[in-house]
Amino acid sequence: MKLWDKGIAIDKKMEQFTVGNDREIDLHIAPYDVIASRAHARMLAKINIISSEELKQLESGLDAIALQIEEGSFVIDDQFEDVHSKIEHELTLQLGEVGKKIHTARSRNDQVLVALQLYYKEALGQTRTSVKTLFDTLLDLADTHKNQLLPGYTHLQVAMPSSFGLWFSSYAELLVDDVYVLDATMRIVDQNPLGSAAGYGSSFPIDREFTTQEMGFAALKYNVVAAQLTRGKNERSIAASLSNVANTLSRFAMDICLYMSQNFGFISFPDELTTGSSIMPHKKNPDVFELIRGKCNKIQALQTEMLLITNNLPSGYHRDFQLLKENVIASFIELNDILEIFNYSIKKIKVKEIDLNDEKYQYLFTVDNINNLVVDGASFREAYKTIGEQVENGTYVPDTSKHHTHIGSIHNLGLDQIRNKFPIK
């Protein structure tokens, strides 16, 4: 039950090691192998390798398999090496000799590659949609809480006045940058590799432009060696784009954990979104955001894994590439779950009123006071020295009346401009 079976018995230990858990992983790409196989069959009919009747039979067989996959009854049994051998076996079982023709003019190499790229395209699109949902939520929160001040910190020391509007919208705008990278990655994977076969093309008169259109790829990866060289390159680009989103969420989650602590006390969440302690009845722990932080850091490690598996491999196919898909697929699933729970939870955030007259915040407005003196005619260095001396001798009195007018500051958030930055597909 192997696409490369030549009738020679295979050592079972070797088979178990080389197949690994491909059967389980391949269930994720099964629908896309059907899509690619349907496009390939139509192309074979177009160039008269198979007849129109044979195409009709193959399409009917693929439709039946697609329905099994959709209903959840499709299983890759132990006698099959992967999803590709299972689907070809099912077609042969249904259609006899006609089913055996589906593999004409393609290799398992480009078959795997095209199924993965179709999966990656859809997964990137789902991630982008989830990012947009969180982006909109954060801008709505920024607008709701735009007038509520929040201490800003540098070096974890009280620094300058900020606001909840500035805080929420800062992470929203970071997500825009993350989408730029997701979109760049989409352009990379949105190129059809089918027809590259084992990496050196085919002597059949295949029509690769036709399959590109049939599968909805934006472009064709023309050079057949380049198509095979994208194994690993695609995954490294994907890992970088997922890592960017994960980095934004991880840092945001850390802020949330910090701001929930009693020493800060800026925000809280409903009790049902927190967890307790087995011995301390007062505890309300931010476990959701701690797990988000940890899971996002794990996703950021994916980039290093993809790099080390593929670095310095020569051109052509190598079995090392089999190891790429498991954690890439797992990371897509994990990140989309994280985005969903983050959006669900952050909507329930409770923003607290912060008493900026508290002694620990007494120097929050020193920069504004310096700027007041500069506006009155002092040089910046002279004004800095004056306020510094007041701080040192205990005569400093904060003036909280300064209004920040420039775009992107606490009194002029630029929320509409940030909203318009999110790229339209």
Side-chain angles (χ1 to χ4, degrees):
M1 302 302 179
K2 300 173 182 61
L3 298 182
W4 49 272
D5 190 353
K6 297 182 288 289
I8 302 170
I10 303 300
D11 185 290
K12 291 301 178 185
K13 286 182 71 68
M14 189 279 287
E15 179 183 20
Q16 184 177 7
F17 181 79
T18 55
V19 172
N21 59 349
D22 255 21
R23 299 180 187 96
E24 293 80 10
I25 299 166
D26 278 4
L27 289 174
H28 294 285
I29 63 171
Y32 307 98
D33 192 79
V34 171
I35 292 169
S37 294
R38 187 181 290 114
H40 184 67
R42 289 173 181 171
M43 185 275 296
L44 292 177
K46 182 176 182 290
I47 64 172
N48 298 316
I49 296 296
I50 62 173
S51 68
S52 58
E53 178 57 35
E54 288 172 327
L55 171 61
K56 190 174 179 180
Q57 292 180 56
L58 285 170
E59 288 191 309
S60 177
L62 289 167
D63 287 344
I65 294 170
L67 183 60
Q68 290 178 28
I69 294 168
E70 186 178 344
E71 293 175 343
S73 60
F74 181 82
V75 177
I76 304 173
D77 311 289
D78 286 349
Q79 68 263 38
F80 300 104
E81 192 172 26
D82 51 32
V83 67
H84 318 291
S85 53
K86 166 70 174 181
I87 287 176
E88 184 170 328
H89 173 79
E90 286 295 313
L91 289 174
T92 303
L93 204 62
Q94 293 177 47
L95 309 173
E97 290 300 310
V98 174
K100 297 178 181 179
K101 295 187 177 185
I102 191 64
H103 202 61
T104 306
R106 68 177 178 178
S107 162
R108 187 169 64 163
N109 290 351
D110 63 341
Q111 191 176 355
V112 173
L113 190 51
V114 70
L116 281 171
Q117 286 186 224
L118 287 169
Y119 169 83
Y120 293 155
K121 278 183 59 179
E122 184 162 323
L124 285 165
Q126 290 172 348
T127 301
R128 193 188 199 278
T129 298
S130 296
V131 169
K132 179 61 162 62
T133 299
L134 180 58
F135 170 82
D136 289 337
T137 295
L138 294 180
L139 286 187
D140 289 344
L141 287 168
D143 189 48
T144 299
H145 301 287
K146 61 187 175 185
N147 296 321
Q148 291 175 259
L149 291 185
L150 172 74
Y153 292 80
T154 63
H155 308 275
L156 277 181
Q157 307 292 307
V158 172
M160 292 178 64
S162 180
S163 71
F164 283 100
L166 202 60
W167 182 55
F168 287 123
S169 59
S170 68
Y171 282 106
E173 192 166 6
L174 281 184
L175 289 174
V176 174
D177 296 338
D178 297 336
V179 168
Y180 292 156
V181 183
L182 285 170
D183 287 351
T185 302
M186 179 68 86
R187 288 192 67 183
I188 291 170
V189 302
D190 200 6
Q191 302 177 81
N192 177 24
L194 188 61
S196 58
Y200 301 97
S202 173
S203 58
F204 288 102
I206 58 176
D207 188 338
R208 300 185 66 211
E209 286 84 2
F210 176 84
T211 56
T212 299
Q213 293 174 357
E214 283 288 306
M215 290 182 286
F217 279 104
L220 173 62
K221 199 71 173 181
Y222 293 99
N223 185 293
V224 291
V225 175
Q228 284 298 319
L229 284 169
T230 60
R231 291 294 294 272
K233 292 279 284 186
N234 289 332
E235 287 77 9
R236 285 165 68 169
S237 298
I238 290 165
S241 63
L242 299 187
S243 293
N244 272 339
V245 179
N247 177 263
T248 298
L249 300 181
S250 178
R251 295 175 72 178
F252 195 5
M254 179 62 219
D255 276 3
I256 291 169
C257 293
L258 200 66
Y259 291 176
M260 279 185 68
S261 73
Q262 291 88 341
N263 295 65
F264 287 79
F266 300 156
I267 58 174
S268 66
F269 285 87
D271 289 351
E272 60 267 24
L273 263 66
T274 62
T275 62
S277 163
S278 63
I279 63 170
M280 294 172 283
H282 66 282
K283 294 295 292 298
K284 295 178 182 178
N285 300 322
D287 283 14
V288 166
F289 294 100
E290 290 176 347
L291 285 171
I292 286 172
R293 183 176 60 198
K295 287 173 181 282
C296 284
N297 290 342
K298 185 178 176 183
I299 289 170
Q300 290 179 80
L302 181 68
Q303 204 170 352
T304 301
E305 181 182 335
M306 297 300 101
L307 173 69
L308 292 177
I309 290 174
T310 60
N311 204 36
N312 296 332
L313 288 178
S315 60
Y317 175 77
H318 309 278
R319 194 64 179 262
D320 312 52
F321 295 141
Q322 179 181 332
L323 305 177
L324 297 171
K325 58 186 174 181
E326 179 177 7
N327 285 340
V328 170
I329 290 171
S331 293
F332 270 122
I333 295 168
E334 188 84 271
L335 184 57
N336 284 322
D337 286 346
I338 289 167
L339 285 162
E340 181 182 357
I341 194 64
F342 208 126
N343 187 66
Y344 175 82
S345 300
I346 201 69
K347 283 182 175 181
K348 300 176 184 294
I349 193 171
K350 296 180 178 181
V351 169
K352 296 183 178 181
E353 290 293 335
I354 301 169
D355 181 11
L356 296 183
N357 294 315
D358 190 297
E359 183 181 357
K360 60 178 170 286
Y361 303 131
Q362 64 178 319
Y363 301 128
L364 197 61
F365 295 91
T366 57
V367 177
D368 286 351
N369 296 162
I370 291 169
N371 293 349
N372 285 337
L373 294 178
V374 172
V375 170
D376 290 340
S379 68
F380 178 83
R381 190 53 55 207
E382 179 186 355
Y384 179 91
K385 184 177 179 180
T386 298
I387 297 299
E389 288 174 349
Q390 292 176 9
V391 169
E392 287 297 317
N393 61 33
T395 61
Y396 170 74
V397 178
D399 177 1
T400 63
S401 63
K402 193 73 173 175
H403 195 76
H404 295 207
T405 60
H406 73 77
I407 188 74
S409 62
I410 55 177
H411 299 120
N412 185 9
L413 296 175
L415 298 183
D416 289 341
Q417 290 87 340
I418 294 172
R419 198 178 296 277
N420 291 333
K421 279 182 74 175
F422 200 98
I424 300 171
K425 284 186 179 181

